[in-house]
Amino acid sequence: MPELPEIEVARKSLTPCVTGRTISEVLVGRTQAIRNPLSDDKAFAVTLNRHRIEAIERWGKTLVFRLDGDMAVIFHFKLGANVSCHKQHVPETDGVAWNFSDGTALEFCDLALSEFHLAHNSELDHLPVLKHGADPLARSFNHELLKDILSPRKQVKTALTDQDVISGIGNTYADEILWHTRINPFRKVAELKENDFRELTRQIKSTLRESIRRGGEESFKNARGRRGRYQTKVHGREGEPCLRDGAKIKAAKRGRRTFWCPKCQK
């Protein structure tokens, strides 16, 4: 499931491919992905046709394509999707494709539960589909804010992955952040000290930015088809030696699987 780094990598790689291009044809192979207007691929296609893409923004874990004429397309990856730029028009698709007037195209494939929503730019701040928690890469995201928004009753990992509180940190990066911070994922937020919140905030930003620099996780491809190069330090490494102290990485299934080092994460 794509998390904040993968969505930001997608945005960055898409921007030079599609910004300034005008949609000349819309193909819909997966009608279920069109959520507004609900499953109406014809209305979706007619509405988008002849609109120019002005900018692409990331709102939490969602991409917003701002078009001319006060229009926007909201794309939510949900469990995952492949978004690819093509040098030629796409003749058909099992997902959704936008052919552009200059002969290039953008295709959304392997959509699973992914969703498209049409909206007016003036409506974006009030749409439930764009509701999200604090953006951990925002300048305003600091240790004081983190201390205020995390529920003291929750375990640290559970609190970090609450998308209504913090947007974009999922299972993988929560494990990575807590390993870097040397905090046990099952500790209660109430047990954290001032310095813990400072270091946690620093590692949230550092870990997410490192993954963005490396193109996201290795299973992720950007819009140009290039795979990510971010290698996890703890997530998915059960039984392997900790890269910090050599102790065996443990894993436990409490909802989703959690990975941590029992020696250095306290």
Side-chain angles (χ1 to χ4, degrees):
M1 181 183 296
E3 299 179 29
L4 186 151
E6 287 74 41
I7 309 304
E8 181 62 13
V9 168
R11 185 195 68 79
K12 286 187 170 186
S13 61
L14 280 168
T15 296
C17 292
V18 304
T19 303
R21 286 172 169 79
T22 299
I23 299 169
S24 60
E25 183 183 26
V26 177
L27 306 176
V28 179
R30 184 173 175 79
T31 306
Q32 305 95 306
I34 311 302
R35 302 307 301 271
N36 182 25
L38 184 60
S39 298
D40 191 339
D41 56 321
K42 291 182 180 179
F44 182 77
V46 168
T47 303
L48 289 185
N49 200 25
R50 294 189 295 277
H51 277 288
R52 185 178 65 252
I53 298 176
E54 302 284 6
I56 309 174
E57 301 171 359
R58 177 183 60 79
W59 290 45
K61 291 171 63 176
T62 304
L63 288 180
V64 175
F65 295 81
R66 289 191 184 262
L67 313 180
D68 61 349
D70 191 38
M71 289 298 302
V73 180
I74 300 160
F75 178 66
H76 201 309
F77 282 77
K78 294 286 186 175
L79 297 182
N82 288 321
V83 184
S84 306
C85 296
H86 297 283
K87 294 181 179 180
Q88 297 178 328
H89 278 180
V90 174
E92 59 182 1
T93 181
D94 59 3
V96 172
W98 300 344
N99 288 327
F100 299 120
S101 58
D102 67 350
T104 62
L106 176 62
E107 185 176 20
F108 303 81
C109 295
D110 304 321
L111 295 178
L113 298 177
S114 305
E115 297 180 354
F116 291 85
H117 297 256
L118 288 180
H120 294 289
N121 283 315
S122 54
E123 299 174 326
L124 296 181
D125 288 330
H126 311 291
L127 292 178
V129 70
L130 286 176
K131 181 183 177 183
H132 60 84
D135 191 313
L137 294 184
R139 288 186 178 182
S140 59
F141 190 94
N142 55 37
H143 77 281
E144 293 287 354
L145 174 65
L146 186 65
K147 188 164 56 174
D148 286 342
I149 63 179
L150 294 188
S151 170
R153 299 187 300 274
K154 289 186 176 181
Q155 295 175 346
V156 181
K157 181 179 178 180
T158 302
L160 285 179
T161 55
D162 185 340
Q163 298 302 302
D164 290 332
V165 177
I166 303 176
S167 180
I169 300 176
N171 198 42
T172 298
Y173 291 107
D175 285 347
E176 295 294 291
I177 289 163
L178 292 172
W179 181 82
H180 282 292
T181 317
R182 303 186 183 220
I183 292 175
N184 187 296
F186 305 116
R187 277 179 67 184
K188 290 291 182 69
V189 172
E191 299 173 10
L192 300 181
K193 309 298 184 185
E194 183 78 9
N195 285 340
D196 292 326
F197 283 106
R198 289 182 182 275
E199 182 62 11
L200 186 54
T201 303
R202 190 175 76 84
Q203 293 298 344
I204 286 172
K205 292 178 179 288
S206 174
T207 301
L208 297 179
R209 285 173 177 155
E210 179 191 357
S211 182
I212 292 169
R213 284 194 300 271
R214 294 180 177 274
E217 286 191 82
E218 293 177 304
S219 61
F220 182 77
K221 290 183 181 180
N222 70 13
R224 294 293 192 183
R226 185 177 180 182
R227 286 195 177 276
R229 296 174 291 109
Y230 179 81
Q231 296 182 332
T232 60
K233 310 297 189 297
V234 66
H235 185 84
R237 296 181 177 272
E238 182 181 10
E240 296 182 24
C242 173
L243 298 177
R244 184 183 291 124
D245 57 42
K248 283 189 176 182
I249 299 298
K250 284 192 171 184
K253 187 172 177 60
R254 303 185 186 180
R256 292 181 180 174
R257 298 194 82 197
T258 293
F259 299 83
W260 80 102
C261 174
K263 184 175 180 180
C264 63
Q265 289 181 254
K266 303 297 183 182

